[in-house]
Amino acid sequence: MIIRSDRGSIRGKNLHRRTGRLGLVLAMALLPGCENLLGIRAPESESKLAVYGFLNPDERVVIDLYRSASLDEAVTEEALRLDDALVIVTSTTQRDTLVRTAPGRYEANRLPRQEEGYAIEVQKTGFDTVRGECVVPKRPVTRVRVAKQGETESSKQFRVTLQLDDPPGAHVYRMGLFLFLEPDSRQNDTPWAAKFFSSSNTALRADPADVGGQPLETNPVEFDVVYFSDDTMEAQTGEFVLNVELRSSNSLEVSLVVTSMDSAYFEYHKSLSLQRRNLEDPFAEPVTVFSNVENGLGVVGCYANQATTVRFQ
C-alpha cells in the first residue's frame, strides 16, 4: 500500500468552489455557482454587493462579485455578476489590487500564507463599500497508514488509520477520500468524486449542521465527506479509523484530504446545510445564509488542506 503526502493540493475549485471551495471544496469545496445564489436574494429593495472569497494556501486569491436580487426578480447567476469594481486584498505583508479575469471574477497573482489574516475590500459605483476578513489556518499535520483486512471474489477490504495533530485552540475539520476521474467518466466536468467509507468514530458527522451536537451511539454505515471538531482531542493527537471496501479486483489510488476550516468557512457551510434541510420542511423557520461581509452580503472564509495519496492494491 503506497502512501504519499502532497503538501496541499487537490485543487480548490471543485472541492470547494462548488460546495464551498475545499482545495480538493470539498467541494465542498466543496461554489461560487448555485450555492452562492442561495445567499444573495435580499428582501430589501436596494441592491447590495455580494462578495464570495475562499482563501487557501494552494490557490491564488479569487473573489466573485455579484449584486443581490429582489425576491420577485427572475435573473440568472451570470446576470448578477458585476464588473468594473475595485477589489483590494490586504494582509500584514501584502497588498494587492485584483485583476478581473472573467465576468464578476477578480484574481490576485500571489498565494495566501498560512496563519496570516486577510481583508477583502470592494468598491463599486452605486454601492456601499464592503469588507470581509479571515485568517488562513495552518495546514493540518497528518499521518496515514493503510492495511489490507480481507478479500473475497468480488471485493477487497482495507483499514485506513489517520492520525491528526490538533494545535491549541478551537478547530473544525473536514475529511474525505477522493478519486480522480478521467475526462470520459466525469459528470458536470467535475474531476473528483468522493469515495465512500465507514467508521465507528462517533465524533464524525456527515452534515456540518450536526457538528457539536449530542454524541452518537453509532455513526451512519457509510460516509462520503465528514465534519468534526477537536472537542475530544484538544491540542492532542486524534486517531480516526476508516474502513474502505473496493468492489473490484483492480488497484485504486485516492487522495485522503483533511481540511482545517476557519470559523467563517465552517459557519457558511453549516448555514447552507440548515437551509437545505429546512427547504424540505414547510413549517421550519427560514434560515439566513451566514455572511461576514460588512455593508453587503456573502462570505470571506479561509481553509487549508493536507492531501495524502493512498494506493489500495
Side-chain angles (χ1 to χ4, degrees):
M1 275 54 78
I2 301 171
I3 303 175
R4 183 176 73 250
S5 179
D6 306 317
R7 272 188 48 80
S9 283
I10 304 195
R11 293 185 56 83
K13 180 176 181 180
N14 298 297
L15 269 197
H16 160 93
R17 207 176 276 195
R18 296 297 173 196
T19 116
R21 193 144 66 199
L22 163 99
L24 178 57
V25 70
L26 275 85
M28 316 349 341
L30 253 276
L31 299 229
C34 298
E35 291 189 336
N36 283 354
L37 291 179
L38 292 175
I40 61 177
R41 287 193 173 275
E44 298 89 343
S45 59
E46 182 181 358
S47 185
K48 294 184 178 181
L49 287 180
V51 178
Y52 291 87
F54 302 93
L55 283 61
N56 76 90
D58 299 318
E59 295 185 317
R60 295 183 299 174
V61 177
V62 176
I63 302 298
D64 287 283
L65 183 62
Y66 304 84
R67 66 172 179 85
S68 65
S70 62
L71 293 174
D72 59 353
E73 186 177 3
V75 290
T76 64
E77 174 190 352
E78 293 303 316
L80 294 175
R81 287 182 170 271
L82 291 178
D83 294 328
D84 302 320
L86 177 63
V87 183
I88 300 171
V89 178
T90 306
S91 72
T92 55
T93 61
Q94 303 175 10
R95 178 180 172 86
D96 292 298
T97 298
L98 275 59
V99 177
R100 177 187 173 278
T101 58
R105 176 159 295 174
Y106 302 79
E107 298 187 25
N109 291 323
R110 288 186 281 192
L111 300 177
R113 299 179 180 180
Q114 298 178 62
E115 300 183 282
E116 189 160 329
Y118 289 83
I120 313 296
E121 182 177 294
V122 180
Q123 300 176 23
K124 168 70 176 174
T125 302
F127 296 87
D128 293 335
T129 297
V130 301
R131 190 175 188 274
E133 57 185 36
C134 66
V135 177
V136 178
K138 182 179 179 181
R139 197 186 304 280
V141 177
T142 63
R143 292 170 295 281
V144 180
R145 303 191 308 272
V146 178
K148 189 174 182 179
Q149 296 298 105
E151 182 175 358
T152 66
E153 292 183 358
S154 60
S155 67
K156 299 177 183 178
Q157 296 80 41
F158 297 87
R159 173 174 292 176
V160 180
T161 302
L162 167 71
Q163 290 185 328
L164 170 63
D165 295 342
D166 181 60
H171 298 88
V172 182
Y173 299 95
R174 181 175 57 201
M175 175 173 59
L177 295 169
F178 297 93
L179 171 67
F180 180 77
L181 302 177
E182 297 298 334
D184 59 356
S185 62
R186 297 176 185 175
Q187 295 182 355
N188 301 321
D189 197 33
T190 300
W192 295 96
K195 176 66 181 176
F196 282 92
F197 60 91
S198 63
S199 177
S200 60
N201 190 316
T202 57
L204 304 181
R205 298 290 191 271
D207 192 321
D210 294 330
V211 172
Q214 293 296 318
L216 303 177
E217 293 184 5
T218 59
N219 262 335
V221 175
E222 285 191 318
F223 297 105
D224 52 2
V225 175
V226 294
Y227 298 79
F228 58 98
S229 69
D230 61 355
D231 291 347
T232 61
M233 59 175 185
E234 169 59 32
Q236 299 179 9
T237 297
E239 185 167 282
F240 303 85
V241 176
L242 317 179
N243 300 303
V244 180
E245 182 176 15
L246 305 182
R247 295 177 175 84
S248 171
S249 60
N250 299 327
S251 61
L252 181 67
E253 184 175 280
V254 302
S255 289
L256 193 163
V257 181
V258 180
T259 303
S260 180
M261 302 179 283
D262 82 327
S263 60
Y265 188 80
F266 172 71
E267 291 297 331
Y268 174 65
H269 282 84
K270 178 179 177 180
S271 66
L272 286 179
S273 176
L274 288 171
Q275 187 184 71
R276 292 194 186 99
R277 185 182 294 180
N278 284 4
L279 287 175
E280 301 174 359
D281 183 356
F283 303 104
E285 291 293 326
V287 174
T288 300
V289 175
F290 173 83
S291 174
N292 64 342
V293 175
E294 298 177 12
N295 298 323
L297 302 169
V299 62
V300 174
C302 291
Y303 66 97
N305 292 328
Q306 177 61 52
T308 301
T309 299
V310 180
R311 187 174 179 83
F312 300 110
Q313 59 185 17

